[in-house]
């Protein structure tokens, strides 16, 4: 907690926090090198080591004390921060991406608090351009956005700025029907190529790992149902940039006035997500499986009622 008020993370939300690593990693055919921008509790980044293909996981954290605190959230016998494949780097995420010459198959940007001073610079066009430069061939950049942290204007600025940089931007739900709603922006050079048989094998491997408790990523169909569609910039002339960091100034207004999207979730889905195109994913069906309707998952995503204030 910060100032005894705002909860930054806890083991209560561990299932969702693990999924924040699993989902973007599953969207890459064989992720070997992953970078996490932000450590937090360490639950998300440690989950990457469950994926058999991972050879190196770099975690960039700004605050040294957060690295110390993450040890308190480690599960008994986890050892993820001591794993030779994992490296924790105390640095500013933007500075690290700009300075490193390394490339990554997947870059995962954490749930940054958009109303904190200068955090809005982690949602700018310039930052996403740097991230795109640090992707290996076929790599993806994954930006999580909490709909309980942003208002509609904030989200549009973030999503449009992101989509202005990446040739293909797909949008994914983090869960179904939870008032703690998360959306994932995935940027890539080309449509995501997903193979049903490979995903089935990888999910089975994850589910066989100790402590697996994800009730959303049960099978391939569930994963595909999280796909909300493709996002293109609705207002390419109004973006979040280093020169005009609009998110930093607008997000506190939404937070203070309780006008975050989560309070109008159903309206938001129907207005913006219900009819998004679904050309950003190319799915190779499993033997004997008919080609799925990639837009059908949005039926599960529409929330029937708004949460209570």
């Amino acid at each position: 907690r910060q100032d005894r008020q705002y909860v930054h993370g806890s083991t209560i939300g561990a299932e969702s926090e693990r999924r924040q690593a699993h989902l973007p990693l599953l969207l890459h055919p064989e992720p070997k090198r992953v970078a996490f921008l932000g450590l937090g509790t360490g639950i998300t980044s440690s989950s990457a080591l469950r994926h058999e293909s991972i050879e190196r996981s770099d975690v960039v954290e700004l605050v040294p004390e957060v690295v110390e605190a993450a040890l308190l959230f480690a599960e008994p016998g986890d050892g993820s921060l001591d794993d030779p494949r994992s490296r924790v780097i105390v640095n500013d995420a933007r500075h690290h991406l700009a300075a490193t010459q390394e490339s990554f198959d997947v870059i995962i940007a954490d749930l940054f608090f958009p109303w904190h001073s200068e955090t809005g610079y982690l949602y700018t066009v310039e930052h996403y351009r740097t991230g795109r430069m640090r992707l290996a061939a076929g790599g993806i950049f994954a930006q999580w956005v909490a709909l309980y942290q942003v208002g509609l204007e904030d989200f549009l600025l973030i999503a449009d700025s992101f989509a202005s940089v990446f040739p293909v931007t797909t949008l994914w739900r983090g869960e179904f029907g939870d008032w703690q709603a998360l959306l994932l922006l995935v940027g890539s050079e080309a449509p995501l190529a997903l193979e049903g048989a490979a995903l089935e094998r990888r999910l089975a491997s994850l589910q066989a790992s100790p402590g697996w408790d994800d009730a959303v990523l049960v099978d391939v169909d569930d994963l595909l149902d999280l796909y909300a569609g493709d996002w293109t910039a609705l207002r390419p002339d109004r973006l979040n940039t280093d020169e005009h960091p609009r998110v930093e100034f607008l997000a506190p207004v939404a937070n203070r006035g309780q006008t975050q999207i989560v309070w109008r979730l159903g309206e938001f889905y129907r207005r913006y997500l219900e009819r998004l195109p679904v050309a950003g994913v190319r799915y190779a069906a499993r033997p004997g499986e008919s080609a799925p309707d990639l837009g059908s998952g949005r039926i599960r995503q529409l929330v029937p009622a708004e949460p209570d204030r």
Side-chain angles (χ1 to χ4, degrees):
R1 287 177 178 267
Q2 180 182 27
D3 298 332
R4 297 187 299 173
Q5 178 185 8
Y6 198 91
V7 178
H8 289 259
S10 71
T11 50
I12 293 175
E15 178 184 332
S16 174
E17 292 174 40
R18 294 188 189 102
R19 194 179 308 123
Q20 289 166 41
H22 294 316
L23 178 57
L25 289 173
L26 286 167
L27 297 179
H28 189 284
E30 190 179 13
K32 295 181 178 180
R33 297 179 64 88
V34 56
F36 288 90
L37 309 186
L39 173 65
T41 59
I43 295 173
T44 298
S45 58
S46 67
S47 300
L49 303 178
R50 294 173 180 254
H51 293 251
E52 295 177 350
S53 63
I54 294 295
E55 298 175 356
R56 168 64 69 84
S57 174
D58 284 354
V59 188
V60 187
E61 172 55 47
L62 177 64
V63 183
E65 290 80 7
V66 169
V67 179
E68 297 177 25
L71 297 173
L72 301 175
F73 291 87
E75 298 177 1
D78 180 7
S80 57
L81 293 179
D82 297 324
D83 192 296
R85 295 173 295 167
S86 179
R87 179 174 64 168
V88 178
I89 302 163
V90 179
N91 197 354
D92 177 90
R94 280 193 56 151
H95 293 172
H96 180 70
L97 284 184
T100 185
Q101 297 302 309
E102 298 185 62
S103 59
F104 304 93
D105 298 307
V106 182
I107 298 175
I108 301 175
D110 200 5
L111 297 173
F112 310 121
F113 294 97
W115 57 80
H116 281 186
S117 177
E118 299 188 8
T119 301
Y121 290 102
L122 291 169
Y123 297 105
T124 64
V125 171
E126 292 83 355
H127 173 56
Y128 293 136
R129 285 175 181 163
T130 301
R132 182 183 176 189
M133 291 171 55
R134 295 294 172 256
L135 292 176
I140 62 174
F141 190 108
Q143 173 70 70
W144 284 102
V145 180
L147 299 187
Y148 51 86
Q149 292 179 340
V150 297
L152 176 60
E153 180 67 15
D154 314 333
F155 176 80
L156 293 178
L157 282 166
I158 294 169
D160 285 355
S161 300
F162 189 94
S164 74
V165 171
F166 294 96
V168 178
T169 295
T170 53
L171 198 59
W172 300 76
R173 281 292 306 274
E175 76 308 298
F176 295 112
D178 189 343
W179 74 274
Q180 295 275 29
L182 304 177
L183 281 179
L184 176 66
L185 296 161
V186 176
S188 57
E189 297 294 324
L192 301 177
L194 303 181
E195 295 185 7
L199 285 173
E200 191 172 51
R201 289 194 299 271
R202 293 172 65 186
L203 278 171
S205 174
L206 288 172
Q207 290 164 359
S209 62
W212 178 267
D213 59 354
D214 197 310
V216 172
L217 291 176
V218 176
D219 54 33
V220 175
D221 293 336
D222 284 330
L223 187 149
L224 294 178
D225 277 353
L226 293 171
Y227 178 39
D230 313 331
W231 189 271
T232 54
L234 301 179
R235 303 174 304 177
D237 58 339
R238 183 173 172 80
L239 303 176
N240 193 54
T241 66
D242 285 355
E243 184 68 21
H244 297 95
R246 294 180 169 95
V247 168
E248 179 175 343
F249 294 95
L250 289 170
V253 178
N255 183 51
R256 181 68 174 175
Q258 288 194 316
T259 58
Q260 299 99 323
I261 291 175
V262 70
W263 302 118
R264 297 167 179 81
L265 214 48
E267 175 188 346
F268 171 71
Y269 289 162
R270 288 186 291 270
R271 182 177 177 184
Y272 290 97
L273 305 191
E274 193 170 23
R275 294 180 178 83
L276 288 179
V278 290
V281 171
R282 295 173 180 167
Y283 177 73
R286 291 163 285 183
E289 177 188 19
S290 58
D293 176 7
L294 292 176
S296 63
R298 285 179 292 205
I299 298 174
R300 293 179 65 181
Q301 295 175 21
L302 293 174
V303 177
E306 311 295 346
D308 295 331
R309 285 185 180 271

